């Protein structure tokens, strides 16, 4: 589930940067990889595997959604 999340994160970040699903330039890919890695590592240490699967299905608990928001905010500097 965590690897699937990381793959989805990379695709979403590429789309957000205007690249669709295509691999972007090396510098952008490095930033995206660092960001998605940061989020995945934080999830692994703080979110139960069953909840990670629920995130992918859009069924995560409110507590998990709030935690994910904090994780995402904490990892945003990786994109700069």
């Amino acid at each position: 589930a965590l690897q699937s999340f990381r793959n989805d994160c990379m695709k979403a970040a590429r789309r957000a940067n205007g690249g669709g699903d295509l691999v972007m330039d090396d510098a952008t890919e490095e930033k995206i990889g660092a960001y998605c890695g940061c989020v995945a590592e934080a999830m692994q240490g703080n979110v139960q595997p069953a909840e990670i699967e629920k995130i992918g299905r859009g069924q995560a608990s409110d507590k998990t959604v709030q935690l994910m928001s904090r994780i995402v905010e904490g990892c945003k500097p990786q994109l700069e």
Side-chain angles (χ1 to χ4, degrees):
L2 200 54
Q3 184 60 42
S4 177
F5 170 82
R6 192 176 192 292
N7 292 342
D8 290 345
C9 177
M10 293 290 292
K11 287 179 186 177
R14 287 178 186 134
R15 284 186 218 118
N17 278 294
D21 287 336
L22 301 175
V23 174
M24 304 190 79
D25 63 271
D26 289 344
T28 303
E29 284 291 310
E30 187 175 324
K31 288 179 183 180
I32 291 171
Y35 168 76
C36 292
C38 176
V39 173
E41 286 177 26
M43 284 178 58
Q44 186 173 14
N46 295 291
V47 181
Q48 296 297 318
E51 278 296 302
I52 293 172
E53 290 179 18
K54 289 180 183 179
I55 292 168
R57 294 191 307 262
Q59 300 172 339
S61 68
D62 288 342
K63 181 179 177 182
T64 299
V65 170
Q66 291 171 357
L67 175 59
M68 284 301 303
S69 293
R70 290 193 303 273
I71 289 171
V72 166
E73 285 302 313
C75 291
K76 278 187 180 177
Q78 301 293 327
L79 293 171
E80 297 173 359

